[in-house]
């Protein structure tokens, strides 16, 4: 197999191992269903002359934040995007064009899928994700080679998704300048799960922690630039003796019973005037959860706005902790909020935030001991390279790095 196509397979396999560890079960559909899904969701690129393609996984809050950040520092640059055609007729003819384009590869693809099915080191979930990757990879490659309008470069958001992997791999294959920008504020650290370094022209990372967690080798990466967490920054507030507004920043997949008990314990131990809850953007529980005495954050409200309305926030395993700290609100990591594992981001282990097993164990004095440590700003800078830095200067350096890669 081409080494360039082998890296996405390793990435998909390792990321699926991570998802299994956090109790996300993989799909078990037939390969025929996956084939149909691949055709149905095949990507289309609307390429504008001399534009930069910015695409990745979906269009959620993290995607929008990175897009707005890039547009703010590159106002003179035109961005294109990828999407799935919704018009059935156009999608049908487009899919047929792709299938004809890759017809000479059918024997190799069939053989490849057969080998995957017999490989004991790959699960059905790995094979399905890789098939979806291949469909998008050939779609992007088709556009890059057949389209008369050429893109100036590609910026991929969410390298761990099949769509992000396919876009960056096709760009590298066609010698189109490529940039990878990391999804989320930070990546969890799991022993034994390592991601290969992709030969992109520029890795845009939020911190040294991102580089370490993604296993991006400086010797293999062509260029690395740190841009930190976008958004406002405020001095960290001390934990008040009386908590009037208590916040809960939820990890993905929390159960209703766990949340009910968590709120009851907070109201019993701290008697706050209000309890603010922020659900994970993908969590369906937010749509029907009801309980007296709480305020549920709107899906349109940013993490920063949510944190501004809280005196103290408890959180599970979520990278949003970094956004909360940056806006100046103290956070407590609660080990009992999810089943992802204990402190998978390493925030508590590195004494960035205090950790307690349950609400009943929380000591506000111990919280302030952690946050008053003179080494705390250094630890925060490890996770957010822009912390306590001149944002204008950081943005200027990032702009110059992007310009040097894209020849703008």
């Amino acid at each position: 197999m081409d080494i360039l196509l082998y890296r996405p397979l390793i990435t998909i396999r390792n990321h699926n191992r991570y998802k299994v560890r956090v109790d996300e079960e993989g799909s078990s559909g037939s390969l025929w269903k996956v084939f149909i899904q691949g055709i149905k969701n095949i990507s289309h690129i609307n390429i504008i002359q001399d534009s930069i393609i910015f695409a990745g996984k979906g269009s959620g809050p993290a995607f929008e934040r990175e897009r707005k950040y890039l547009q703010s520092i590159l106002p003179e640059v035109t961005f294109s995007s990828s999407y799935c055609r919704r018009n059935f007729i156009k999608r049908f003819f487009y899919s047929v064009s792709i299938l004809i384009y890759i017809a000479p590869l059918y024997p190799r693809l069939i053989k490849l899928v057969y080998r995957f099915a017999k490989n004991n080191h790959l699960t059905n979930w790995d094979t399905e994700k890789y098939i979806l990757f291949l469909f998008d990879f050939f779609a992007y490659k088709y556009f890059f080679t057949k389209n008369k309008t050429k893109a100036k470069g590609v910026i991929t958001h969410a390298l761990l998704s099949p769509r992000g992997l396919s876009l960056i791999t096709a760009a590298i294959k066609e010698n189109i300048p490529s940039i990878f920008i990391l999804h989320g504020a930070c990546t969890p650290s799991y022993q034994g799960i390592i991601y290969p370094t992709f030969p992109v022209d520029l890795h845009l990372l939020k911190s040294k922690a991102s580089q370490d967690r993604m296993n991006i080798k400086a010797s293999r990466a062509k260029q690395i630039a740190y841009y930190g967490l976008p958004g406002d920054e405020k001095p960290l507030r001390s934990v008040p003796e009386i908590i009037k507004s208590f916040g809960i920043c939820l990890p993905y997949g929390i159960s209703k019973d766990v949340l009910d008990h968590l709120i009851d314990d907070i109201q019993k131990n701290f008697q706050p005037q209000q309890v603010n809850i922020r659900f994970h953007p993908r969590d369906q529980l937010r749509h029907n959860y009801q309980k007296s005495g709480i305020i549920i954050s709107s899906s349109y409200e940013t993490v920063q706005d949510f944190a501004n309305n809280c005196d103290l926030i408890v959180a599970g395993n979520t990278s949003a902790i970094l956004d909360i700290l940056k806006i100046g609100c103290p956070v407590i990591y609660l080990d009992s909020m999810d089943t992802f594992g204990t402190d998978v981001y390493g925030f508590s282990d590195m004494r960035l935030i205090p950790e307690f097993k349950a609400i009943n164990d929380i000591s506000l004095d111990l919280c302030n001991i952690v946050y008053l440590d003179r080494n705390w700003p250094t630890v925060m800078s490890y996770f957010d390279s822009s912390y306590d830095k001149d944002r204008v200067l950081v943005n200027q350096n990032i702009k110059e790095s992007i310009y040097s890669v894209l020849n703008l």
Side-chain angles (χ1 to χ4, degrees):
M1 182 190 297
D2 188 333
I3 185 63
L4 194 57
L5 297 181
Y6 185 70
R7 285 191 183 93
L9 175 61
I10 298 300
T11 302
I12 289 171
R13 186 195 66 179
N14 290 353
H15 195 52
N16 283 347
R17 299 298 179 274
Y18 155 68
K19 288 189 173 183
V20 168
R21 290 194 186 186
V22 298
D23 293 337
E24 282 194 34
E25 295 184 2
S27 169
S28 58
S30 68
L31 293 182
W32 174 249
K33 290 182 179 179
V34 177
F35 181 82
I36 297 299
Q37 182 185 355
I39 294 177
K40 181 180 178 181
N41 295 326
I42 202 166
S43 291
H44 171 79
I45 307 176
N46 180 28
I47 300 180
I48 303 171
Q49 184 67 39
D50 293 332
S51 66
I52 307 300
I53 300 171
F54 178 58
K57 180 181 179 181
S59 56
F63 178 87
E64 286 301 312
R65 181 174 70 171
E66 310 308 334
R67 181 182 62 82
K68 289 179 180 179
Y69 171 71
L70 289 172
Q71 289 179 333
S72 69
I73 65 170
L74 303 169
E76 66 280 11
V77 173
T78 302
F79 287 92
S80 297
S81 61
S82 68
Y83 59 93
C84 299
R85 284 188 179 274
R86 298 304 176 191
N87 184 292
F88 175 79
I89 296 177
K90 289 183 178 180
R91 187 173 67 213
F92 173 78
F93 283 108
Y94 171 55
S95 299
V96 170
S97 299
I98 299 296
L99 293 175
I100 294 174
Y101 171 69
I102 65 174
L105 300 176
Y106 286 163
R108 291 178 60 190
L109 292 175
I110 294 173
K111 184 178 180 181
L112 186 66
V113 172
Y114 178 78
R115 284 173 55 193
F116 283 178
K118 298 294 183 180
N119 193 320
N120 294 328
H121 298 289
L122 298 174
T123 66
N124 289 340
W125 198 16
D126 298 334
T127 304
E128 292 167 17
K129 288 277 189 178
Y130 193 70
I131 289 174
L132 295 178
F133 156 79
L134 286 176
F135 267 108
D136 269 344
F137 167 73
F138 288 122
Y140 287 132
K141 196 169 183 298
Y142 171 82
F143 269 94
F144 291 151
T145 56
K146 298 297 182 181
N147 202 307
K148 294 182 180 180
T149 305
K150 298 297 182 182
K152 294 278 291 184
V154 163
I155 301 178
T156 298
H157 174 263
L159 187 58
L160 301 181
S161 72
R163 181 154 294 171
L165 284 168
S166 59
L167 175 58
I168 206 72
T169 304
I172 295 172
K173 192 76 172 176
E174 298 302 319
N175 296 315
I176 296 174
S178 54
I179 297 174
F180 160 57
I181 186 169
L182 181 64
H183 171 83
C186 190
T187 300
S189 177
Y190 276 106
Q191 186 175 2
I193 296 181
I194 299 175
Y195 301 103
T197 302
F198 276 70
V200 295
D201 296 296
L202 172 63
H203 285 86
L204 279 183
L205 306 176
K206 293 182 176 67
S207 64
K208 183 65 168 60
S210 300
Q211 179 181 346
D212 293 342
R213 303 294 171 78
M214 291 292 295
N215 191 42
I216 298 172
K217 303 295 186 183
S219 58
R220 298 178 185 174
K222 296 180 181 179
Q223 187 178 353
I224 298 174
Y226 303 120
Y227 69 103
L229 295 174
D232 297 333
E233 180 180 322
K234 295 181 181 178
L236 184 67
R237 307 192 298 267
S238 61
V239 181
E241 295 182 1
I242 299 177
I243 311 297
K244 295 181 180 179
S245 180
F246 207 114
I248 306 175
C249 186
L250 296 172
Y252 175 71
I254 191 168
S255 70
K256 182 180 182 300
D257 289 342
V258 171
L259 182 54
D260 284 340
H261 288 303
L262 180 63
I263 295 172
D264 290 340
D265 287 343
I266 289 173
Q267 292 174 333
K268 177 183 177 181
N269 286 273
F270 294 94
Q271 297 89 42
Q273 295 178 4
Q274 65 183 44
V275 176
N276 302 314
I277 299 178
R278 178 179 175 82
F279 282 91
H280 188 280
R282 292 194 293 130
D283 203 320
Q284 296 302 308
L285 183 59
R286 69 170 301 123
H287 300 298
N288 52 27
Y289 186 79
Q290 293 181 345
K291 191 175 178 65
S292 60
I294 66 168
I295 298 175
I296 297 179
S297 174
S298 164
S299 58
Y300 300 103
E301 185 179 45
T302 65
V303 178
Q304 291 83 1
D305 290 337
F306 168 75
N308 273 329
N309 294 324
C310 301
D311 297 321
L312 176 67
I313 293 175
V314 291
N317 286 299
T318 170
S319 63
I321 286 173
L322 296 176
D323 297 290
I324 295 169
L325 291 173
K326 183 155 188 168
I327 207 67
C329 183
V331 189
I332 291 173
Y333 169 65
L334 213 59
D335 186 32
S336 58
M337 283 180 66
D338 55 60
T339 59
F340 291 0
T342 299
D343 191 29
V344 299
Y345 288 94
F347 297 151
S348 172
D349 182 59
M350 295 192 66
R351 293 188 62 79
L352 181 70
I353 57 175
E355 174 186 348
F356 298 96
K357 291 291 184 182
I359 293 293
N360 297 338
D361 300 327
I362 291 178
S363 165
L364 299 184
D365 289 337
L366 289 178
C367 292
N368 280 322
I369 288 175
V370 171
Y371 286 124
L372 291 175
D373 190 311
R374 63 181 182 180
N375 195 47
W376 189 88
T378 302
V379 178
M380 183 63 184
S381 296
Y382 173 71
F383 288 101
D384 172 19
S385 64
S386 66
Y387 188 77
D388 202 26
K389 302 286 197 312
D390 185 335
R391 185 78 242 188
V392 174
L393 182 60
V394 170
N395 290 347
Q396 182 60 37
N397 290 336
I398 294 300
K399 183 174 181 177
E400 291 174 359
S401 295
I402 295 175
Y403 267 52
S404 67
V405 168
L406 302 179
N407 298 316
L408 296 175

